[in-house]
Amino acid sequence: MALSVSARPYDFALDPARTALVVIDMQRDFIEPGGFGAVLGNDVSRLTAIVPTVAALIGFFREQGMLVVHTREAHKPDLSDCPPAKLLRGKPGLRIGDEGAMGRILIAGEPGNQILAELAPIAGEIVIDKPGKGMFWATGLHQTLLERGISQLVFAGVTTEVCVQTSMREANDRGYECLLIEDATESYFPEFKAAAIEMIVAQGGIVGWSAPLAALETAFAGAMADG
């Protein structure tokens, strides 16, 4: 039975049996002081501020018995999965694979590449290491979701305009209906987050829908009250 979630640009009909939560790149190096994001000169406190909301969202999905997917932007230690066009961006000492305060930047297994402890995956949840900004390229995730009967995705994570929006657009092209939880996503640049959300919901939801966590909780509460 579909639940009606109050959203932009119009209500989102969510079917719990066909829905998974995707938490994008809530990694230490992007979010914690001293990590890669901070070294680049960004105000990581903006991203840190959404951690309680993301934790509440994950907890909500777990309580409902719904699937949770976690992603990390990560590369192999030998960088064989990192194309030169991506590897050569940045400046020496700040590029992918270089040594940072939390180990090698964006390398699988390094301390900074790990998901925050407060949001750590539990048994039965899917964890994807993605070499690109989007969650589908070179990950096999699409087939995994199809096998589980998932056709709707709820999104959270960072950053809104890069990996979150890229993943939503990839999902949209693959036929998924996508809902972004707007207070569970963030950018180092507030204007970028705002612009990304407007692009997602424009033209009747050309990429997907957007709603606060409270709207999702209200929809489920209303369904329970109705029996």
Side-chain angles (χ1 to χ4, degrees):
M1 180 184 69
L3 311 178
S4 181
V5 180
S6 179
R8 296 175 61 209
Y10 52 88
D11 290 354
F12 181 78
L14 185 147
D15 182 350
R18 299 189 295 118
T19 301
L21 170 65
V22 181
V23 183
I24 301 288
D25 297 0
M26 294 295 288
Q27 299 160 233
R28 295 183 62 206
D29 240 340
F30 292 147
I31 297 169
E32 291 187 355
F36 182 40
V39 171
L40 289 172
N42 297 305
D43 178 8
V44 296
S45 68
R46 295 189 53 81
L47 275 57
T48 304
I50 70 166
V51 172
T53 304
V54 177
L57 178 60
I58 293 172
F60 181 78
F61 265 71
R62 288 171 178 167
E63 290 171 5
Q64 306 300 322
M66 298 164 67
L67 179 64
V68 179
V69 179
H70 305 260
T71 77
R72 294 178 293 217
E73 186 172 352
H75 292 280
K76 297 176 181 178
D78 65 2
L79 297 173
S80 61
D81 60 351
C82 186
K86 182 179 182 181
L87 180 61
L88 295 178
R89 293 182 189 178
K91 58 184 180 180
L94 290 176
R95 289 176 175 157
I96 294 169
D98 288 342
E99 196 69 33
M102 301 182 189
R104 295 179 67 202
I105 294 168
L106 296 187
I107 299 299
E110 294 289 327
N113 202 236
Q114 303 309 306
I115 294 169
L116 297 179
E118 305 96 305
L119 309 176
I122 62 174
E125 296 179 346
I126 297 172
V127 182
I128 295 294
D129 282 342
K130 58 182 184 62
K133 306 303 183 189
M135 68 185 191
F136 289 106
W137 181 62
T139 66
L141 178 59
H142 182 44
Q143 186 61 38
T144 299
L145 294 175
L146 289 178
E147 291 170 354
R148 296 193 180 213
I150 299 298
S151 59
Q152 296 185 326
L153 298 172
V154 174
F155 280 86
V158 299
T159 60
T160 314
E161 77 281 6
V162 184
C163 293
V164 175
Q165 183 177 200
T166 300
S167 295
M168 286 190 73
R169 289 180 179 275
E170 285 188 336
N172 181 67
D173 283 347
R174 287 163 175 78
Y176 295 94
E177 295 177 316
C178 302
L179 172 65
L180 176 65
I181 302 301
E182 58 200 32
D183 48 346
T185 185
E186 194 50 85
S187 169
Y188 300 120
F189 310 98
E191 65 274 23
F192 289 3
K193 173 182 175 177
I197 292 175
E198 292 306 311
M199 286 188 281
I200 286 166
V201 304
Q203 301 179 72
I206 193 168
V207 176
W209 288 257
S210 174
L213 174 56
L216 185 67
E217 295 171 331
T218 297
F220 274 82
M224 292 179 64
D226 291 339

